[in-house]
Amino acid sequence: MARPQNSVFDKFKTVAENRKARFDYFIEDKFEAGIALTGTEVKSLRFGEGSIAESFAEIRGGECWLVNANVPEFSHGNRFNHTPKRPRKLLLHEREISRLQGAVERKGMTLVPLSIYFNSRGRAKVELALAKGKNAADKRNTIKDREWKRDQARIMRDHG
């Protein structure tokens, strides 16, 4: 029997975050995926290095892959050091992969990584989002709402 999934992921140490994704996309659903890493990649991530700003996820051959994520080479690595921008396999259940693939093919959605973190058990995880792209007008509305909330907080602070 499968363990029930938490609605909130237990992020112990966040390594990389894709803050621009929340501005560029409407986030529909979030998934927690394991990531297959080599030894030097794990060490590099534990030092807080890595970037997922320009990365994306795709489904190829029934498997989910994280493409274009940059995990720099480990400084004390030797000849067995890894390639910084290699595609990395994401570990998801088969039914999750088929659900994601259906949404991407039918609804025109995108798989966007939101963050890479270590959970409380020390495992590297990726927070993956099923997202729909925003157009320019949606982005303007997001900016307007954000500025209005900032002004509201300023007014409440000044006038009590």
Side-chain angles (χ1 to χ4, degrees):
M1 187 168 147
R3 269 188 290 174
Q5 294 290 326
N6 292 345
S7 59
V8 178
F9 310 126
D10 63 339
K11 295 182 179 181
F12 188 69
K13 178 187 174 191
T14 303
V15 177
E17 198 168 3
N18 190 354
R19 296 182 60 199
K20 195 161 172 63
R22 296 183 194 279
F23 179 73
D24 289 337
Y25 299 97
F26 290 115
I27 306 298
E28 298 289 325
D29 203 4
K30 294 179 186 176
F31 294 89
E32 181 180 42
I35 182 168
L37 299 171
T38 63
T40 54
E41 287 173 327
V42 175
K43 289 182 179 188
S44 189
L45 285 176
R46 286 206 189 276
F47 276 108
E49 299 173 353
S51 170
I52 56 170
E54 64 279 342
S55 65
F56 61 96
E58 67 180 4
I59 298 173
R60 275 187 270 146
E63 295 177 335
C64 196
W65 295 88
L66 181 64
V67 181
N68 212 18
N70 185 23
V71 178
E73 289 184 345
F74 184 55
S75 59
H76 302 307
N78 55 12
R79 61 189 173 134
F80 299 114
N81 225 337
H82 64 277
T83 309
K85 287 206 171 195
R86 74 175 183 87
R88 293 165 179 90
K89 187 176 178 181
L90 295 179
L91 309 173
L92 290 162
H93 290 284
E94 205 169 313
R95 64 181 177 276
E96 288 177 329
I97 292 174
S98 63
R99 179 176 169 209
L100 292 173
Q101 187 173 16
V104 167
E105 288 175 357
R106 285 191 294 276
K107 299 179 189 172
M109 301 183 99
T110 309
L111 292 174
V112 181
L114 297 178
S115 64
I116 295 179
Y117 59 93
F118 287 97
N119 66 4
S120 58
R121 296 176 64 191
R123 306 268 194 246
K125 301 286 183 178
V126 175
E127 185 178 6
L128 197 62
L130 195 57
K132 196 172 212 55
K134 288 184 182 178
N135 57 23
D138 294 330
K139 290 179 185 179
R140 283 194 297 270
N141 287 336
T142 303
I143 293 170
K144 189 165 72 171
D145 292 342
R146 184 174 57 212
E147 288 177 356
W148 168 238
K149 286 181 183 175
R150 190 179 303 137
D151 289 343
Q152 257 183 335
R154 192 175 299 129
I155 291 167
M156 290 299 290
R157 186 186 68 224
D158 292 343
H159 299 293

